[in-house]
Amino acid sequence: MSWTRPQMAERIGRELQDGWIVNLGVGMPTLVCDVDLGDREVTFHAENGVIGFGPVAAPGEEDVNLVDASRRHVTLNPGAAIVDHADSFALIRGGRIDVTVLGSYEAAANGDFANWKVKGAKGGVIGGAMDLAASAKRVFLMLEHRMRDGTPRLLARCTLPITARGVVTLVVTEMGLFAPTGEAFKVHDLAPGVSLDEVRAATACPVTE
C-alpha cells in the first residue's frame, strides 16, 4: 500500500497555492499539471519556454510543436505564452518562480539534494536544475523512497554530487510527504497503509512525527 506516481503528483498539487507560478521539471514532476486544482489558478512553467500550460492533450489532439520539459504534448490555458530560453530563464533567475518541482536521486535531511549525476557515471548534465534550485522561492522534490536495490534515497547527507545545498522545502515519495528539518525528516502525511515504522526502516536518517 503506497501512492502511485499520479497520487504523488496529486499530493504535491494539494500544496500549491492560488496565484503561484510553478515550474515542473523533467520526469515525475510533469504529472502535476494533470492534477485537478479546483478553483486555484496556478501558472505552470516549463524551462523550455512554455508558460501557462495545462494537462496532456487528448489522443489525436496533440500539437507536435507544443511539449513540456518531458516532451509530453500538453495543452495551453487561457493567457498562456511561448517564450525563448532567455526569457524563460529570466523569470527563473529573477526570482519569479514560487515553487519548482524537481525529480531527484537523493534528498538529505539538511535540505541538500542531488539530481544530475549517478554514482559511477561519466559526465552528467545538471541542466536548469541549478538555476531553479538557487532562484525558486521553494523546492519540492518527487522521488522513489528507495533505489531498485532497496538502498534509501532519503539520507542524512547526500552521497552523490549535490545540485544545491539547504534549499529543499518538501519531499514526496510513494510512502508519504516529508520536510527536511536539519537532522531528520518530519512527516507531513503518510500514504494509506504505510506505517511510520516502515518509513523509518526505508530511510537512512531519523524520521519524526
Side-chain angles (χ1 to χ4, degrees), residues 38 77 109 180 183:
N77 291 325
E183 298 300 328

Side-chain angles (χ1 to χ4, degrees), residues 75-113:
T75 54
L76 293 180
N77 291 325
I82 307 296
V83 302
D84 62 23
H85 257 77
D87 287 334
S88 179
F89 273 81
L91 288 173
I92 294 169
R93 294 169 181 169
R96 306 282 183 163
I97 305 298
D98 291 289
V99 61
T100 180
V101 185
L102 298 172
S104 190
Y105 297 128
E106 294 179 344
N110 63 354
D112 298 352
F113 76 104

Side-chain angles (χ1 to χ4, degrees), residues 38-111:
D39 58 0
R40 287 172 291 162
E41 293 188 7
V42 170
T43 300
F44 289 119
H45 169 281
E47 66 181 73
N48 61 334
V50 185
I51 304 170
F53 64 93
V56 170
E61 298 182 9
E62 302 93 340
D63 181 338
V64 296
N65 297 307
L66 180 59
V67 296
D68 63 13
S70 286
R71 299 181 182 178
R72 301 192 314 160
H73 296 289
V74 291
T75 54
L76 293 180
N77 291 325
I82 307 296
V83 302
D84 62 23
H85 257 77
D87 287 334
S88 179
F89 273 81
L91 288 173
I92 294 169
R93 294 169 181 169
R96 306 282 183 163
I97 305 298
D98 291 289
V99 61
T100 180
V101 185
L102 298 172
S104 190
Y105 297 128
E106 294 179 344
N110 63 354

Side-chain angles (χ1 to χ4, degrees), residues 117-134:
K117 187 176 181 180
V118 296
K119 189 175 296 184
K122 293 182 178 180
V125 180
I126 199 167
M130 181 171 57
D131 298 87
L132 287 160

Side-chain angles (χ1 to χ4, degrees), residues 93-176:
R93 294 169 181 169
R96 306 282 183 163
I97 305 298
D98 291 289
V99 61
T100 180
V101 185
L102 298 172
S104 190
Y105 297 128
E106 294 179 344
N110 63 354
D112 298 352
F113 76 104
N115 80 338
W116 68 280
K117 187 176 181 180
V118 296
K119 189 175 296 184
K122 293 182 178 180
V125 180
I126 199 167
M130 181 171 57
D131 298 87
L132 287 160
S135 304
K137 297 173 185 176
R138 302 163 188 83
V139 176
F140 294 173
L141 300 181
M142 292 181 68
L143 65 156
E144 301 292 345
H145 208 98
R146 288 167 287 196
M147 298 181 186
R148 292 179 181 176
D149 64 1
T151 304
R153 293 182 186 269
L154 272 61
L155 313 168
R157 299 292 183 270
C158 290
T159 65
L160 298 174
I162 291 172
T163 304
R165 298 185 183 276
V167 298
V168 177
T169 310
L170 290 173
V171 177
V172 68
T173 76
E174 76 278 10
M175 301 188 82

